[in-house]
Amino acid sequence: MSDGYLGALGVRLTDEQYTRLTDVGAVPLGAPHEGIAASLDRLPGGATDRITAPAVPVA
């Protein structure tokens, strides 16, 4: 393993940097996940806070 890779362990990101990287690296979930996410606000009873969103896989 290269020392360059290990050097990355010491990198610290600000909250803004982390948010920007997360946003640009987001992978569209596609069907059916996007349709389900769009319908969460219309759930019977409106208890959307009781729904856990699917984890987005990281490649």
Side-chain angles (χ1 to χ4, degrees):
M1 187 176 289
S2 171
D3 288 338
Y5 290 113
L6 294 176
L9 293 173
V11 172
R12 299 288 180 244
L13 299 175
T14 65
D15 289 341
E16 179 185 356
Q17 290 169 323
Y18 179 79
T19 300
R20 289 179 65 194
L21 284 172
T22 301
D23 290 346
V24 299
V27 177
L29 295 178
H33 305 290
E34 289 175 351
I36 293 168
S39 68
L40 288 179
D41 62 339
R42 297 186 305 268
L43 276 175
T48 58
D49 59 328
R50 299 179 70 189
I51 304 290
T52 304
V56 178
V58 178

